[in-house]
């Protein structure tokens, strides 16, 4: 039986992460971005082509109350770059709200919960998840881990 490879992407304009999970193997990367902002889609392509990918979950983005117009536009631009790259690579993907995937993964709403759960689920990646600001990596890992339920 061939193992399936799942990807989780936590989008961002200057932050975010992309994780790949296949059986017991997993790796996580900071979302490749340009220093001036925006997703480096060429680097994202290299990550996504490093192994045969079967399915991708990407966290759906939307503007939030009290979020500035410029911030919303930049986040939307980064999100569009990610979805465009997935489409260009002809990868099957699903846009999923944070509430949907967190419910599936039994992740509570507190900010650090995803990081704690990811460290238990992927102990081999604990060093890459040790800082509070590594929550993006943790969320991408948990989305990739849950992707098989949404395929």
């Amino acid at each position: 039986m061939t193992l399936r490879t799942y990807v989780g992407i936590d989008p961002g304009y200057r932050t975010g992460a992309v994780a790949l999970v296949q059986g017991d193997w997993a790796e996580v990367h900071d979302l490749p971005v340009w220093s001036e902002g925006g997703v480096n889609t060429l680097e994202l392509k290299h990550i996504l082509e490093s192994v045969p990918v079967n399915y991708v979950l990407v966290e759906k983005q939307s503007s939030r109350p009290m979020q500035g117009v410029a911030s919303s536009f930049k986040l939307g631009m980064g999100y569009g770059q990610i979805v465009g790259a997935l489409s260009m690579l002809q990868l099957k993907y699903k846009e999923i709200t944070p509430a949907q995937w967190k419910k599936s993964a039994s992740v509570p709403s507190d900010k650090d919960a995803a990081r704690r759960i990811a460290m238990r689920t992927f102990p081999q990646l604990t060093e890459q998840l040790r800082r509070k600001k590594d929550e993006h990596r943790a969320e991408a890992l948990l989305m990739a881990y849950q992707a098989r339920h949404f395929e």
Side-chain angles (χ1 to χ4, degrees):
M1 182 173 101
T2 304
L3 290 175
R4 299 184 62 72
T5 304
Y6 298 101
V7 175
I9 301 178
D10 184 16
Y13 184 71
R14 289 190 185 270
T15 61
V18 56
L20 299 96
V21 173
Q22 181 188 78
D24 293 335
W25 171 85
E27 68 180 37
V28 65
H29 306 266
D30 290 327
L31 187 67
V33 295
W34 300 107
S35 59
E36 58 277 355
V39 176
N40 181 336
T41 53
L42 183 59
E43 285 300 314
L44 179 59
K45 174 185 180 289
H46 291 311
I47 293 168
L48 294 172
E49 289 183 334
S50 66
V51 295
V53 171
N54 297 100
Y55 195 71
V56 181
L57 277 186
V58 58
E59 189 176 72
K60 191 171 191 153
Q61 301 296 294
S62 60
S63 61
R64 297 181 186 105
M66 306 304 290
Q67 186 176 24
V69 174
S71 294
S72 293
F73 180 81
K74 288 177 181 177
L75 184 60
M77 185 175 124
Y79 184 65
Q81 289 173 309
I82 292 166
V83 170
L86 295 173
S87 296
M88 184 179 61
L89 294 169
Q90 298 181 351
L91 294 174
K92 292 181 188 177
Y93 71 92
K94 177 180 177 61
E95 298 169 273
I96 189 165
T97 66
Q100 286 175 308
W101 78 259
K102 286 181 179 183
K103 180 179 179 182
S104 172
S106 301
V107 176
S109 60
D110 82 85
K111 274 295 214 190
D112 204 42
R115 197 174 63 85
R116 290 190 311 268
I117 293 168
M119 284 192 289
R120 280 195 311 268
T121 307
F122 302 100
Q124 72 274 27
L125 298 176
T126 297
E127 185 59 28
Q128 289 180 270
L129 302 169
R130 66 179 162 71
R131 303 170 303 172
K132 295 272 187 194
K133 72 178 192 174
D134 293 331
E135 67 176 296
H136 298 294
R137 294 174 181 175
E139 290 192 350
L141 278 164
L142 294 175
M143 277 189 280
Y145 189 68
Q146 289 300 310
R148 68 188 183 279
H149 299 297
F150 293 95
E151 185 175 19

